[in-house]
Amino acid sequence: METLRDMLGAKGVLTTPGDMAAFLDDPLGATVTPPRAVLRPGSTAEVQAALRWCQSEGLSVVPQGGLTGLTQAAVPVDLDKTVILSLGRMNRLRELDADSATATVDAGMVLADLRARAEEAGFYFPLSHGAVGSSQIGGNLSTNAGGNNALCYGVARDQVLGLEVVLPDGTLWDGLRALRKNTAGYDLRQLFIGAEGSLGIITGAVVKLRPLPVSRATAFVGVKTPGAALKLLHALSARMGGTVAAFELISRGALDAALAHTGMRDPLEAPGAWSVLIEAETASEAMDLGGLLEDGLAGAFEAELIQDALLAQNEAQRMAFWKLREAIAEALIRDESCLKSDTAVPVGRVPEYLEAAGRAVDRFLPGVRPVPFGHLGDGNVHFNLMRPETMPHGAFRGHWVALTEILAEEAIRLGGTLSAEHGIGRLKCEEFAAVVDPVSLRIMRSLKQALDPDGRMNPGVLFAR
Ligand SMILES: Cc1cc2nc3c(=O)[nH]c(=O)nc-3n(C[C@H](O)[C@H](O)[C@H](O)COP(=O)(O)OP(=O)(O)OC[C@H]3O[C@@H](n4cnc5c(N)ncnc54)[C@H](O)[C@@H]3O)c2cc1C
């Protein structure tokens, strides 16, 4: 350990329980195995030195970003001989190139900081979600985060032009290119995006920047059914010229959880079974987004697609709508007996999925209470489940693997996936093994074997041990 301290400095190697505590605080309350140390390198060269040292000591490495991930993937669980490698000290904006509209960042830069620095320079980095204030670029890329406006701008993977990665043996792969086009060989950067730290440590990235929106229009809308919400999405998308950036479907149960969590009032006078939070944004001065959205909603009202709607009249009201939306995730994460789901299906099949999944979980566990909410525009409505009212948490917890498998099977039957934006992590390994097709699994295992032959990078994540 002293050799490593010489390389990383005293603040780069933490070993006391007090110093390490903040790095073990998983948001879903995983029971963490105390690591040998928390390593906090301050540069790519120090990450290389740390990984060479871990290799020589035979230690496993758990990469850690902002520790906001929802699959228990950034802390050691049931692991011997492990260190956490936290990227938090590598938080610099290395370069902002206005001519190429790109930013080159350290992997430990917090997502909100990158968005703010881009904005200062007159640009927009669109990726955003409920943990924008503490998740890091490296973590967002490693989970291929989605969030609230993937409908318009794509997911984390779509923002990246180049990547810098340290491989498990300390070798540096310098793929930090700002190219918009490159067909010279395999696209290696995509291998590490969504790999959940199982193939190496992302230390830097070149990301795309976009023109800064100059206007937004936001509405909170009541609908009777998810089917009506889907029709509304298509009607508004057609009318508003690709400006609909967010389209968040919220069930009554999910909204009630957020109202109880915040003490806020339902924004609508005639609350219905489902709500939708809609936001459109544009960088064009020439568009009257508010007018377009108002007309679109009036048409939807006449067509009896919607029951009630409230357009945000100012930034404070817009922020209140979003506060309510983000409070759903916070409230359900805080409720330890709520099963979190991250399935997705093709957008057009969401209504069918919600019905089929509801029937299937109720058949398996009568009285279980679905609280679906999320990104209808991406087909990724989180089908979260609360325990039957009379069932204790422990007994409900015992059904989680089976319930997650049921939700995954229903999604896959409709052409969907077990995990849309959170990853597999340690939490869903068993379910992943049960539903993944064997050819995909064989290719994934071959890649893991090629890049991490000793299996020291984040063991237990993705592949059950
Ligand atoms: C309230 C709340 C709301 C959320 N809403 C959303 C949402 O809408 N959409 C969404 O997609 N997610 C959401 N999340 C989940 C979470 O914020 C994302 O998964 C985020 O991308 C994790 O980033 P992080 O920096 O916290 O990574 P961590 O949690 O620290 O790590 C996540 C994974 O990435 C690996 N990793 C981290 N950094 C690196 C690196 N530099 N190199 C290699 N591997 C690395 C870790 O080993 C782990 O496997 C939410 C979380 C919370 C708490």
Side-chain angles (χ1 to χ4, degrees):
M1 202 67 77
E2 283 317 306
T3 351
L4 191 65
R5 257 201 194 96
D6 290 343
M7 292 187 279
L8 304 194
K11 60 184 170 187
V13 184
L14 311 179
T15 49
T16 67
D19 286 344
M20 294 195 293
F23 299 85
L24 312 182
D25 190 14
D26 179 72
L28 297 188
T31 308
V32 177
T33 321
R36 293 281 172 89
V38 173
L39 310 183
R40 303 186 70 221
S43 66
T44 301
E46 288 186 11
V47 174
Q48 291 184 267
L51 287 196
R52 280 193 210 106
W53 179 82
C54 290
Q55 186 178 41
S56 68
E57 298 287 315
L59 292 171
S60 299
V61 180
V62 176
Q64 188 177 100
L67 194 47
T68 68
L70 299 177
T71 61
Q72 302 186 339
V75 285
V77 176
D78 290 334
L79 281 182
D80 263 355
K81 299 182 71 180
T82 314
V83 298
I84 288 175
L85 193 145
S86 160
L87 278 294
R89 285 179 63 216
M90 290 182 63
N91 55 11
R92 282 177 319 126
L93 173 68
R94 296 187 194 173
E95 187 193 11
L96 195 147
D97 179 347
D99 290 335
S100 300
T102 59
T104 306
V105 298
D106 277 353
M109 190 166 192
V110 168
L111 179 55
D113 294 343
L114 171 55
R115 284 168 55 89
R117 294 292 296 275
E119 192 169 334
E120 277 167 26
F123 286 102
Y124 188 42
F125 184 67
L127 190 69
S128 184
H129 53 72
V132 63
S134 35
S135 68
Q136 300 174 1
I137 298 304
N140 280 278
L141 297 183
S142 299
T143 54
N144 191 22
N148 300 332
N149 56 23
L151 165 63
C152 190
Y153 302 102
V155 293
R157 141 177 353 269
D158 301 311
Q159 319 306 325
V160 179
L161 297 173
L163 218 56
E164 178 186 85
V165 178
V166 178
L167 301 178
D169 65 0
T171 305
L172 179 69
W173 173 58
D174 182 358
L176 269 190
R177 296 205 184 88
L179 290 174
R180 302 260 165 179
K181 287 183 168 179
N182 179 12
T183 52
Y186 299 138
D187 192 348
L188 297 180
R189 80 201 138 141
Q190 297 297 355
L191 257 188
F192 299 95
I193 300 175
E196 302 184 64
S198 64
L199 299 177
I201 307 270
I202 298 174
T203 48
V206 183
V207 296
K208 292 180 209 168
L209 301 177
R210 306 182 193 242
L212 195 58
V214 291
S215 70
R216 291 196 167 91
T218 310
F220 208 88
V221 175
V223 293
K224 272 197 191 130
T225 61
L230 185 65
K231 285 189 183 141
L232 178 65
L233 168 66
H234 292 312
L236 291 179
S237 299
R239 186 178 186 90
M240 301 192 63
T243 59
V244 178
F247 199 94
E248 300 286 300
L249 180 70
I250 304 169
S251 67
R252 186 70 249 164
L255 188 60
D256 285 344
L259 294 173
H261 182 65
T262 55
M264 291 167 77
R265 290 182 45 207
D266 195 315
L268 299 178
E269 278 180 11
W274 297 85
S275 311
V276 186
L277 174 53
I278 303 165
E279 185 156 275
E281 60 189 22
T282 180
S284 162
E285 301 275 3
M287 285 185 94
D288 171 18
L289 274 191
L292 279 172
L293 184 56
E294 199 168 350
D295 288 352
L297 291 176
F301 199 75
E302 271 168 33
E304 297 186 2
L305 277 184
I306 66 175
Q307 296 171 287
D308 196 2
L310 186 62
L311 267 132
Q313 298 302 319
N314 48 44
E315 185 61 13
Q317 202 172 16
R318 170 180 173 257
M319 296 302 285
F321 290 172
W322 277 108
K323 183 177 170 191
L324 204 49
R325 161 62 186 87
E326 297 307 351
I328 300 171
E330 287 161 22
L332 299 185
I333 288 168
R334 198 168 287 187
D335 178 353
E336 61 160 17
S337 75
C338 175
L339 169 61
K340 283 84 185 165
S341 167
D342 183 34
T343 48
V345 294
V347 176
R349 308 200 80 170
V350 170
E352 191 182 344
Y353 174 65
L354 294 177
E355 274 202 16
R359 274 196 308 271
V361 293
D362 196 62
R363 230 178 359 252
F364 176 78
L365 191 65
V368 69
R369 291 168 296 158
V371 277
F373 75 98
H375 323 296
L376 174 60
D378 310 325
N380 175 210
V381 177
H382 300 292
F383 202 93
N384 290 4
L385 297 173
M386 285 180 169
R387 65 188 162 80
E389 258 160 14
T390 51
M391 181 176 275
H393 167 60
F396 183 51
R397 186 77 181 77
H399 295 302
W400 277 18
V401 169
L403 285 165
T404 304
E405 268 182 48
I406 290 171
L407 293 175
E409 277 160 11
E410 289 297 330
I412 288 166
R413 187 174 64 75
L414 296 173
T417 173
L418 158 71
S419 178
E421 58 175 11
H422 295 163
I424 299 298
R426 297 190 162 78
L427 208 56
K428 296 184 186 164
C429 284
E430 280 181 55
E431 298 89 329
F432 179 55
V435 298
V436 66
D437 78 274
V439 179
S440 300
L441 191 61
R442 198 180 74 211
I443 297 171
M444 288 186 208
R445 283 197 184 282
S446 309
L447 291 169
K448 173 77 175 167
Q449 177 64 25
L451 288 171
D452 181 24
D454 306 331
R456 288 183 305 100
M457 290 307 298
N458 223 355
V461 158
L462 213 52
F463 309 105
R465 295 191 316 140

